[in-house]
Amino acid sequence: MQCLLLIVAIAGSLVTVASGATLRHQAGPPGADVSRAGATELILTDVVSQHGTTWQFTDKVRVGRFVNGDSYVVGPVTIAAIAPGPQNGRNGSVLNLPPVNARSCFDSRVSGGRYDPRLVVQLPFVMKPGDALVSSISVETMRELPAPLRPADRSHSPVRSVAVLTCLGEPVPADAFRPSYCDRQQRIYLASNLRRDLLPRLPPAEGPPGEAGWVSKADPREWADRFQRPWIDTCAFNFDVPAEYMPHYGREVGRAVGIASLVLMCDFPAEQKERLLVNFVQYGIDLLGIVRAGHPGWPAHGGHGSGRKWPIVFAGILLGDPEIQGFQGKYPQARFGEDMQTMHGTGWNGAKALYAGHVGAAGSKSEKGWGAYEHLHPSQWQSMLGENYRRCCTSNAWVGQALAAHIMHAESAWNHDAFFDYVDRWMEEDDTESIKIIQQATGQDYSAGWLRQGQAWDPFVKAMWKKFRHNLPPAVAPTVPPGRNTE
């Protein structure tokens, strides 16, 4: 079959791509590493294996690799077998994962009644350009795996790991990122365009040792491994995340993205950070593709909605792409826990940046006290849920993201000032008198050290905050996206 080619001229660079795909290519910016540029090398094979999953084709097909190591095929192709294959509600594979939070197809044991067996592929089937296949490997026993970054907990997801196979119409450059598994337009971004010069080279701080799962000292190779395999992020409450490496709770997602981005801003050897940089930007591209496809985002619900906004903003800055940086204006349906749970106002103790409640300021029609409450004296609080989650599962996991954004002078690109003002308050306001008043009014005691303000969950993050929050490196380039809402 003859393939129609589209010639695209962008930013002074002429690029040829397959019809149906969009190649985001710019002339090499300062600091760009162009060593990966050029045509990818393809192999001819009838079988591809990735992260424990094997796909068998009816004929030999052309196979290439994206810059993060994930495979693609030049199609159309017919998949004859998958190992381990979908069977008895396990090891599900889905073609073109839908961007909805109420359905999952990987394993029938998924919580919340979200399993939809109609999404599971039936072999054999054809993949055509524009398609992405997400194949999963199930756990043997529920809760058999420790939760990443929280090993004292057990992951509630029935999925062990996933792999993504993408079908393109033509080969892409060797430094091409994998398009998001929810992006049917298959926008292609290039690692040679990454603005590595925007990343400062700060001396890493180190915190005291802590409990299992706490991060006191960051290793770029470890964090590259954590983001190497695809993070699947469409199902609400992380019910079907790949539990072997991806956290099942937004608090830990927030911790992870904060730590990973701070590591990228430290003066570790560039060759150690490169794989983490590629993998972390890939996560941002995946999240953006989910949002572009119409997903409602990751709204506030305790700690569940944290950690997804910063990878998108970070990817937009590093790729020098104003469209990504300004994505919130184009996709207003996408909600993020950090923004919904922070607001400006006047608090009962005089604070001006407030926690906006368990599910955001608007609250819940069915649950009392789930909305804004810090403007009220504790004696008037209808529920302690907001304050409980403010102290256990949200604020202390946001510190790394906020600091990373400050270091990159990306506050405008984030475009919600209340978040940064609130994190400053959380880290620097002395809450000694406040917790006494709260206890007198409600009987709730927040005097335990781990519940106090001024805490970041991970000692590494707290040490970095102490060292750099008021000693930021100078901005390298402006990051304000066009059309920023300045209200």
Side-chain angles (χ1 to χ4, degrees):
M1 182 175 65
Q2 194 171 21
C3 183
L4 177 65
L5 296 182
L6 179 66
I7 306 298
V8 183
I10 301 178
S13 180
L14 190 65
V15 183
T16 304
V17 297
S19 176
T22 303
L23 185 62
R24 301 289 294 181
H25 185 81
Q26 300 168 332
D33 177 5
V34 297
S35 61
R36 294 180 180 271
T40 187
E41 294 184 6
L42 301 185
I43 63 172
L44 196 63
T45 180
D46 61 358
V47 63
V48 171
S49 293
Q50 189 92 41
H51 305 314
T53 294
T54 298
W55 300 286
Q56 180 76 46
F57 307 98
T58 55
D59 301 292
K60 290 187 181 296
V61 300
R62 291 186 290 165
V63 176
R65 288 191 182 275
F66 297 110
V67 67
N68 73 329
D70 285 352
S71 298
Y72 68 85
V73 292
V74 178
V77 302
T78 300
I79 295 186
I82 304 173
Q87 186 176 9
N88 301 323
R90 308 289 185 267
N91 306 321
S93 288
V94 60
L95 187 65
N96 300 332
L97 188 68
V100 296
N101 62 12
R103 291 191 292 168
S104 175
C105 67
F106 298 130
D107 193 295
S108 61
R109 296 169 292 179
V110 70
S111 299
R114 283 176 164 78
Y115 182 63
D116 187 348
R118 295 171 297 179
L119 296 175
V120 181
V121 296
Q122 302 298 314
L123 296 163
F125 63 94
V126 174
M127 289 185 70
K128 62 183 183 301
D131 288 342
L133 178 66
V134 183
S135 296
S136 71
I137 301 173
S138 294
V139 299
E140 292 292 332
T141 305
M142 289 293 289
R143 307 184 77 85
E144 71 177 61
L145 296 176
L149 294 180
R150 186 64 175 163
D153 294 340
R154 314 302 291 182
S155 180
H156 60 217
S157 173
V159 179
R160 174 178 291 275
S161 183
V162 300
V164 176
L165 181 67
T166 305
C167 185
L168 303 178
E170 289 291 326
V172 291
D175 70 326
F177 285 97
R178 172 177 49 73
S180 172
Y181 44 78
C182 282
D183 183 5
R184 303 283 67 81
Q185 295 186 42
Q186 294 189 330
R187 297 168 179 85
I188 300 293
Y189 299 92
L190 303 180
S192 54
N193 287 332
L194 287 172
R195 290 293 306 271
R196 296 167 179 83
D197 59 307
L198 297 181
L199 295 173
R201 299 181 61 82
L202 306 174
E206 183 175 345
E211 296 181 9
W214 291 9
V215 178
S216 299
K217 182 178 180 180
D219 182 339
R221 292 161 295 193
E222 174 190 347
W223 286 91
D225 289 343
R226 287 186 182 275
F227 284 94
Q228 183 66 60
R229 288 178 277 177
W231 286 36
I232 302 299
D233 223 330
T234 55
C235 188
F237 302 111
N238 298 93
F239 282 152
D240 66 357
V241 300
E244 198 166 64
Y245 55 91
M246 180 178 175
H248 72 263
Y249 189 34
R251 177 185 62 196
E252 274 62 64
V253 176
R255 291 170 56 204
V257 302
I259 293 169
S261 53
L262 287 175
V263 169
L264 289 171
M265 297 171 199
C266 291
D267 62 353
F268 297 109
E271 61 273 13
Q272 292 186 16
K273 294 196 298 182
E274 181 66 15
R275 189 163 62 93
L276 171 59
L277 177 61
V278 166
N279 293 345
F280 190 66
V281 170
Q282 180 69 67
Y283 182 42
I285 291 171
D286 284 341
L287 291 170
L288 178 62
I290 297 171
V291 168
R292 279 173 165 158
H295 191 270
W298 299 268
H301 197 288
H304 279 289
S306 296
R308 281 54 172 231
K309 185 176 180 179
W310 176 237
I312 302 176
V313 174
F314 181 90
I317 293 171
L318 265 290
L319 288 166
D321 193 314
E323 181 185 352
I324 301 178
Q325 294 180 45
F327 79 97
Q328 296 168 86
K330 190 172 182 180
Y331 306 101
Q333 90 285 349
R335 295 174 292 169
F336 300 92
E338 297 92 337
D339 291 354
M340 293 179 67
Q341 289 176 322
T342 53
M343 59 186 286
H344 285 130
T346 300
W348 66 274
N349 64 354
K352 300 301 182 183
L354 311 179
Y355 189 74
H358 191 64
V359 294
S364 168
K365 294 181 180 179
S366 61
E367 302 288 347
K368 292 183 178 181
W370 280 28
Y373 68 96
E374 278 207 284
H375 61 292
L376 302 171
H377 189 274
S379 61
Q380 297 177 279
W381 292 353
Q382 294 181 302
S383 169
M384 299 305 297
L385 194 66
E387 188 70 5
N388 288 343
Y389 274 86
R390 181 176 92 88
R391 292 178 177 271
C392 80
C393 308
T394 51
S395 310
N396 52 21
W398 294 343
V399 179
Q401 297 179 82
L403 178 59
H406 282 308
I407 290 173
M408 294 193 70
H409 301 273
E411 299 91 343
S412 295
W414 182 287
N415 195 20
H416 184 74
D417 292 341
F419 169 67
F420 299 104
D421 294 339
Y422 173 78
V423 175
D424 279 347
R425 173 201 163 196
W426 170 262
M427 289 301 291
E428 300 182 6
E429 177 187 79
D430 184 353
D431 63 353
T432 301
E433 290 303 314
S434 293
I435 61 175
K436 290 179 180 178
I437 295 172
I438 292 172
Q439 185 172 15
Q440 292 170 358
T442 68
Q444 189 75 38
D445 184 4
Y446 294 113
S447 62
W450 66 277
L451 290 170
R452 296 292 299 275
Q453 292 186 181
Q455 303 298 317
W457 189 284
D458 296 284
F460 166 73
V461 171
K462 186 174 182 179
M464 291 289 287
W465 178 278
K466 183 177 180 180
K467 191 169 185 177
F468 296 112
R469 173 62 188 96
H470 299 291
N471 183 31
L472 298 174
V476 176
T479 57
V480 179
R484 176 190 180 315
N485 178 7
T486 57
E487 296 182 356

